[in-house]
Amino acid sequence: MSDEEATVPGADCAVTDDALLVLTAMLLTPARFPGVLGDDYPAACAALALEPYEEGYGLVLGQDGRGARWTVVIEDASQVAVAIAAWDCGMEHDLSPDERSVVCALPGWPMDLAVVAPGVPAPHDPEPDEGSPAPLSAPDAETWGPPQRRLGADEIAAQWPAWREQLDDAQVLPDSGEAPGSGVGAELAADAAAGVRHPGVRRALSEAAAYTKAPPPPGRIRSSYASSEARTLRVDGPGWSMVARTDDIALFLLDEEPGTVIPVGRGAALPGLLAALDGLAARPS
C-alpha cells in the first residue's frame, strides 16, 4: 500500500443507503497524490475534473449502504492528512468530513482496494444518473502503460528497503559520468546519462536533468522523508518514472519495458542530479 493511501482500522457496519462507510483516504496535493492519476498534480486533478488549487484536496473512498463505490473529494486536505497519520500509527480516527467541505462525489474508485465494507453488498459501481460522469476505475492489471508504470513506481517508493534488498551490484547499471560540479541543465544531463547504455534510461536521465533548467509542472518531482540524511524522490516524465534515494541509487520504470525495474548506480554524476531535483521538489508540509 502506498503512502498516499491508508485504511481505516475497524469499521462500523451500521450504515444507511445514503451514508458512506469510509474505507481509505488519500491526499491530492502537489507533494502527495496517487500517481495512477497522472504524471503531475495538474494532470491528476484533471483526471478528476478538479481545479489544481495549491492547497489540494482529500480523497475519501468508501461504499454506501447498497455497496456502491464512491470517491468523495473534500477541500480540507489537512483533515485527511491527520486521519492518514493516525491510521498509519494503528490508531482509531473518525474521518467524517463536514458536508460544507465536500467538493463532489464521484462514482467508482481510481484504484482497487484490498478492503471492503462489512455488512453491505460487494463493491460495485452505482447506477448511473443521466448526465453523471463515468465511474472511476482502476487501471487494467493485465496491461502495461503510464498508469501501471506510475502505480508501480509509487509502490517501490513506499517499499524502498524491500526492493533495494532484491538488487545486487551486478544488476545495477553503472553511472560513469564525470562529476557535474556546479553545472545544471544540459551539462548535468550529459554527465548523468554518460555510461548508461539503455536508451530509454538515457532519455529519462536527460529529461530529468532538463527539469533543473526548466522546472516542470507542480508534482512532477516529489520528495518525501527517508531518513535523517536522505530523501526519497519520485520523478515522472513522458514514458518514464524514477524512484531514487538521495543517498543511494535510482530505479527506473519505462513504458517500453513492461513490468521491468531498471537500476542505475550511484557514481560521480547521479548524486548531483538527485540533489538538484530534490531542490525543486514539492514536499509535504
Side-chain angles (χ1 to χ4, degrees):
M1 184 175 292
S2 73
D3 67 350
E4 281 80 25
E5 178 185 340
T7 303
V8 182
D12 181 359
C13 64
V15 294
T16 67
D17 286 348
D18 293 330
L20 185 75
L21 183 54
V22 176
L23 296 178
T24 195
M26 309 171 191
L27 286 171
L28 178 58
T29 68
R32 192 174 174 185
F33 60 88
V36 67
L37 294 176
D39 280 335
D40 49 55
Y41 176 62
C45 288
L48 302 181
L50 300 171
E51 290 293 327
Y53 294 124
E54 183 178 354
E55 295 79 6
Y57 305 90
L59 305 179
V60 181
L61 279 61
Q63 293 176 261
D64 64 21
R66 301 181 184 89
R69 294 180 283 245
W70 291 94
T71 298
V72 178
V73 182
I74 66 173
E75 60 184 8
D76 190 352
S78 61
Q79 183 183 19
V80 171
V82 169
I84 291 175
W87 299 336
D88 283 346
C89 295
M91 300 169 57
E92 296 283 346
H93 186 92
D94 179 39
L95 178 58
S96 301
D98 190 299
E99 289 185 2
R100 292 172 296 182
S101 71
V102 174
V103 177
C104 61
L106 303 172
W109 296 334
M111 61 179 61
D112 288 328
L113 300 183
V115 292
V116 297
V120 300
H124 61 275
D125 291 333
E127 290 295 326
D129 293 327
E130 185 176 352
S132 62
L136 302 174
S137 61
D140 185 355
E142 300 300 318
T143 63
W144 181 260
Q148 293 85 353
R149 179 244 305 159
R150 293 189 298 262
L151 196 61
D154 285 350
E155 182 63 23
I156 292 173
Q159 304 292 335
W160 177 269
W163 283 88
R164 186 65 177 92
E165 288 176 2
Q166 299 178 36
L167 300 172
D168 57 41
D169 292 341
Q171 296 174 282
V172 180
L173 297 178
D175 159 26
S176 59
E178 297 297 326
S182 59
V184 294
E187 297 84 359
L188 189 55
D191 289 334
V196 177
R197 295 183 178 180
H198 193 293
V201 174
R202 283 205 309 271
R203 173 177 56 83
L205 282 166
S206 295
E207 292 178 1
Y211 290 162
T212 64
K213 177 170 285 188
R220 189 70 64 91
I221 310 169
R222 288 167 278 158
S223 174
S224 59
Y225 176 84
S227 71
S228 59
E229 298 181 352
R231 306 284 298 182
T232 297
L233 292 179
R234 271 286 287 110
V235 188
D236 289 296
W240 58 270
S241 292
M242 179 177 80
V243 187
R245 279 267 301 246
T246 54
D247 63 346
D248 200 3
I249 65 174
L251 304 179
F252 287 85
L253 291 87
L254 307 173
D255 283 354
E256 65 261 34
E257 297 279 1
T260 302
V261 179
I262 306 172
V264 172
R266 186 175 181 82
L270 187 66
L273 174 60
L274 298 182
L277 292 172
D278 188 47
L280 296 171
R283 299 177 175 229
S285 56

